Amino acid sequence: MTIERLRLTMPRGSLHIVVAAVLTAGIAALAAAEESNSVVASRVSAEGLGELRPEVHLTSASGWMNDPQRPFFLDGRWHLYYLYNEDYPNGNGTEWYHVTSTDLVHWSDEGVAIHKYTRGDGDIQSGSTVIDVNDTAGFGAGAIVTVATQQLDAVQTQSLFYSTDGGHTFEQYEGNPIMRNPAGGGDFRDPKITWDAEHSRWLMLVSEPHKIGFYTSANLKEWTYLSGFGRDDLGIMECPELFRMSVEGDPSRTTWVLATGANGFNYGMNSGYAYWTGEWDGTNFHPDQAEPQWLDNGSDFYAAVTWTDPRQTAEEQLHTRYAIGWANNWDYARRLPAGEWGGSHLSLVRELHLKNIDGRLTLSSRPIDTIGTLEGEQARIEQLWIGHGETWAVPQPMSAAYRLRASIAQDPLQPAREVRLKLKTDGTRFATIGYDFATETAFIVRDHDAIAEQLTEVYRSGRTVRVRPRDGVVDLDVIVDRTSVEMFVNGDEHALSAVVYGANDANGVTAEAFDGLAIIRSMSVAPLTPTPPARRGDSQQ
């Protein structure tokens, strides 16, 4: 994915007289200063909000972060990269920052792995990394090969980088760019590469204007166009991926999933991770239904990537995938309050399965089990009746990050229409999650949080997802951090994620019911132990 930016860059191979060089540098500096001033001026002030940096979500030490890149597992550690701009907001361009983990919860900074503006064709944008076990590219068996988008003078191309030290540093392939923009300009980015074992070849998906392009290669360097999956109702389909999964864990029943970051305004969404189940015949993808589904119906789960665990059996890898996304939204990303860093973070890692939910194949998601190791002692209540208009102070969190679980139902004689839980409340500012029994929808609304009045209508608009009660009960599993809420409904059936801001570190929780009696069958709140990344230079390193 790329960011629209104003940048003046000298063409490669050009000779410039000193006066022209100085003039260009001066204009570029002015352009960067203008953009920096614009970002700072439009950003919501952090004053009165309290501490902002999340406690259990991955953040950069400083600067800007966005798109996570699909991780790989090597020598006992997961290797994840994300787009990073240390110069934000005073300079442009992203590069690949490297972090590692043994459990996908605790992370260690490893530094920038692919630097911007030193590799030829501009900065380093989204792409994907593979372990070239069979040395198809010629850099050695087991070399780490990355193909990523670079952008120069508004032209996007694909470049190859390779690493022989386990993904810590990368060399530039001398034949870059390996793919030029066939249209000469416009969108041509986010290459996602996988090994197509059935045809003994590499398969690449690329984001192109109103379509996803499919390409193949024998050596990761030379690519041949196969086909395209076109849509004119989802904006630019970014960060696409294609994978196969078993249905309900049955290896004899498998189907393909095509997924992409998309603009969902035509479907009652904003931006998010859209997907289709269907058939991949080796050349074309044929969706089961035209309308996409969404992995997360909240406002802040974008540019997501999924992967499998190579330590699992083939059957287990068909059954289980993992996902992580950027917990933000381009509608307001640059306006969110920030401390010493750009204010963004990544989602928690989720475990995915493909299930038949209410007659449709659906990607389910829930927090990975390792999150449970962070939980402390629970505060718990059971069988709480809440009447219409009543507000109850339920178990209160004793930490900035916590996990809330609630099972809610209607009283059979006086059924409530709706149950609401207010989070981060100080009595005036709050975010609301809950369930509407009349419409069978779970929801998250932040139009009364501490920054909503200063942001856009997209930020203030509530997000909903249709989900039916199970035996009359709706289960909510909610992970709350300093500036985010990730809610999972009925175990793993549906998810809603949003950035949320309380006032002055407010962290209160209340429960309300409307138009009848509601029953909280059970509710627990457990603190989550902070997981700050081990930063380079820290004593932890």
Side-chain angles (χ1 to χ4, degrees):
M1 185 171 65
T2 188
I3 307 170
E4 289 187 5
R5 50 171 72 89
L6 174 61
R7 181 174 70 243
L8 299 177
T9 309
M10 294 182 184
R12 289 182 301 158
S14 298
L15 295 176
H16 302 268
I17 61 174
V18 173
V19 173
V22 172
L23 179 61
T24 301
I27 294 174
L30 287 173
E34 282 187 17
E35 181 173 355
S36 171
N37 291 336
S38 174
V39 170
V40 172
S42 64
R43 179 182 290 162
V44 174
S45 172
E47 185 176 354
L49 299 180
E51 177 60 45
L52 295 178
R53 189 182 288 276
E55 293 204 333
V56 296
H57 289 77
L58 180 61
T59 62
S60 57
S62 61
W64 171 271
M65 75 183 308
N66 59 304
D67 301 15
Q69 311 300 311
R70 185 186 61 206
F72 62 88
F73 189 81
L74 182 67
D75 297 332
R77 299 188 71 85
W78 290 102
H79 295 255
L80 171 73
Y81 305 90
Y82 58 80
L83 297 190
Y84 172 65
N85 178 10
E86 184 178 13
D87 304 319
Y88 179 82
N90 300 311
N92 285 316
T94 52
E95 50 199 357
W96 278 32
Y97 200 94
H98 183 200
V99 293
T100 59
S101 175
T102 58
D103 61 4
L104 298 173
V105 171
H106 299 85
W107 298 94
S108 296
D109 283 358
E110 304 292 346
V112 175
I114 308 178
H115 293 264
K116 62 183 179 181
Y117 302 142
T118 62
R119 304 284 178 156
D121 294 320
D123 63 339
I124 315 298
Q125 299 174 8
S126 281
S128 56
T129 298
V130 296
I131 302 177
D132 189 11
V133 176
N134 297 317
D135 192 23
T136 63
F139 304 118
I144 310 300
V145 178
T146 291
V147 177
T149 301
Q150 291 193 271
Q151 180 169 304
L152 183 67
D153 297 332
V155 176
Q156 295 177 340
T157 57
Q158 314 312 322
S159 293
L160 186 150
F161 307 88
Y162 63 95
S163 171
T164 56
D165 65 358
H168 291 270
T169 62
F170 284 79
E171 298 296 327
Q172 178 184 2
Y173 172 52
E174 61 182 9
N176 282 340
I178 60 169
M179 295 178 70
R180 295 190 180 274
N181 193 322
D187 299 295
F188 185 65
R189 61 178 183 263
D190 306 342
K192 190 65 61 65
I193 299 172
T194 55
W195 177 249
D196 179 358
E198 182 178 352
H199 299 94
S200 298
R201 65 187 182 183
W202 295 102
L203 177 68
M204 176 195 287
L205 280 65
V206 180
S207 171
E208 302 183 37
H210 300 289
K211 77 170 182 179
I212 297 170
F214 297 93
Y215 297 79
T216 61
S217 174
N219 60 12
L220 292 167
K221 302 172 183 175
E222 299 161 321
W223 293 88
T224 301
Y225 180 75
L226 266 185
S227 66
F229 178 80
R231 301 285 296 214
D232 60 5
D233 58 344
L234 292 167
I236 301 302
M237 294 183 286
E238 301 183 301
C239 306
E241 56 182 10
L242 177 72
F243 49 88
R244 189 163 65 106
M245 293 193 76
S246 60
V247 179
E248 305 282 359
D250 182 353
S252 68
R253 298 175 58 210
T254 64
T255 192
W256 288 86
V257 179
L258 177 65
T260 184
N263 180 327
F265 282 97
N266 287 319
Y267 297 96
M269 281 282 297
N270 43 64
S271 62
Y273 181 94
Y275 70 92
W276 300 262
T277 59
E279 178 190 356
W280 169 251
D281 63 14
T283 301
N284 294 283
F285 178 78
H286 307 278
D288 293 331
Q289 299 185 28
E291 183 174 340
Q293 298 186 81
W294 305 87
L295 181 60
D296 189 304
N297 285 71
S299 297
D300 299 296
F301 186 79
Y302 194 67
V305 292
T306 71
W307 67 95
T308 58
D309 187 337
R311 296 169 295 181
Q312 296 178 332
T313 67
E315 284 191 11
E316 290 172 331
Q317 291 185 56
L318 278 174
H319 177 46
T320 303
R321 294 185 73 85
Y322 302 89
I324 191 170
W326 182 46
N328 215 325
N329 189 306
W330 282 117
D331 183 78
Y332 43 77
R334 298 193 188 193
R335 298 191 59 195
L336 295 179
E340 69 277 18
W341 91 111
S344 287
H345 62 271
L346 301 185
S347 75
L348 296 175
V349 175
R350 304 174 180 191
E351 182 176 310
L352 310 185
H353 300 285
L354 187 62
K355 297 183 174 183
N356 188 324
I357 298 177
D358 297 329
R360 189 174 187 184
L361 293 182
T362 302
L363 281 178
S364 67
S365 71
R366 62 180 176 82
I368 57 173
D369 291 340
T370 317
I371 297 295
T373 65
L374 305 180
E375 295 183 41
E377 184 177 353
Q378 293 183 352
R380 185 179 178 89
I381 60 169
E382 294 185 358
Q383 299 300 105
L384 173 66
W385 269 260
I386 305 176
H388 169 70
E390 294 180 350
T391 299
W392 288 77
V394 289
Q396 298 298 296
M398 303 304 292
S399 57
Y402 62 92
R403 189 170 192 171
L404 181 155
R405 296 179 177 90
S407 294
I408 57 179
Q410 297 169 293
D411 178 84
L413 300 179
Q414 302 178 59
R417 178 181 58 85
E418 188 175 295
V419 176
R420 301 177 187 174
L421 299 178
K422 290 182 178 178
L423 308 179
K424 298 187 176 294
T425 181
D426 64 356
T428 302
R429 298 296 182 187
F430 51 85
T432 306
I433 63 172
Y435 188 77
D436 186 324
F437 287 95
T439 60
E440 294 187 333
T441 54
F443 57 83
I444 181 167
V445 183
R446 55 189 175 183
D447 59 347
H448 280 77
D449 85 352
I451 68 171
E453 292 178 353
Q454 303 174 69
L455 286 179
T456 65
E457 187 60 32
V458 168
Y459 187 92
R460 290 189 293 272
S461 296
R463 301 296 317 138
T464 65
V465 64
R466 182 77 180 271
V467 54
R468 294 177 178 176
R470 302 302 173 190
D471 297 323
V473 178
V474 175
D475 291 321
L476 305 179
D477 183 1
V478 189
I479 294 181
V480 181
D481 208 338
R482 290 194 185 275
T483 57
S484 66
V485 173
E486 294 180 64
M487 179 169 71
F488 304 86
V489 187
N490 282 349
D492 60 357
E493 288 185 8
H494 296 283
L496 291 160
S497 298
V499 295
V500 169
Y501 290 78
N504 294 309
D505 291 320
N507 215 20
V509 179
T510 61
E512 303 173 342
F514 294 89
D515 298 334
L517 274 174
I519 308 170
I520 295 183
R521 296 282 185 86
S522 65
M523 179 175 171
S524 65
V525 173
L528 295 177
T529 302
T531 59
R535 305 293 186 190
R536 292 172 66 83
D538 287 356
S539 58
Q540 294 167 276
Q541 294 286 87

